[in-house]
């Protein structure tokens, strides 16, 4: 077992995000090469650039609401925390 302290939040880079976006690394990809886990927080109006994840992606909306688009389809889905 390895116990790790919480790392500082990191501001999302301007090349990838518009507006204020912060993320916390939960599981690093060097720990599990095919998986990483981040908690990502978007300020109102902030967004990410359109992109895809070759291995797929699972989103857990824990707070707030927003838009996402499955499998590079131009139609978007509205998602909201339960």
């Amino acid at each position: 077992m390895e116990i790790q302290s919480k790392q500082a939040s990191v501001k999302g880079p301007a090349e990838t995000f518009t507006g204020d976006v912060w993320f916390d690394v939960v599981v690093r990809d060097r720990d599990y090469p095919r998986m990483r886990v981040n908690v990502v927080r978007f300020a109102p109006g902030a967004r990410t650039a359109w992109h895809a994840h070759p291995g797929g992606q699972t989103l857990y909306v824990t707070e707030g609401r927003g838009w996402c688009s499955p499998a590079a389809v131009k139609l978007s889905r509205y998602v909201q925390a339960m």
Side-chain angles (χ1 to χ4, degrees):
M1 177 188 303
E2 178 183 350
I3 299 174
Q4 300 176 4
S5 60
K6 181 184 181 308
Q7 301 297 308
S9 295
V10 177
K11 186 163 181 15
E15 307 83 52
T16 309
F17 299 101
T18 299
D20 290 329
V21 177
W22 296 88
F23 62 93
D24 298 304
V25 176
V26 177
V27 175
R28 303 170 297 195
D29 54 0
R30 71 175 184 240
D31 296 332
Y32 297 93
R34 294 178 33 173
M35 177 184 82
R36 70 180 166 200
V37 178
N38 295 316
V39 173
V40 183
R41 295 177 315 282
F42 291 82
R47 62 186 183 277
T48 185
W50 284 106
H51 64 284
H53 295 266
Q57 180 182 36
T58 301
L59 297 175
Y60 291 96
V61 180
T62 59
E63 188 176 329
R65 56 186 182 242
W67 295 91
C68 70
S69 180
V73 175
K74 294 295 182 194
L75 300 174
S76 296
R77 289 186 192 165
Y78 182 76
V79 293
Q80 184 168 343
M82 299 304 255

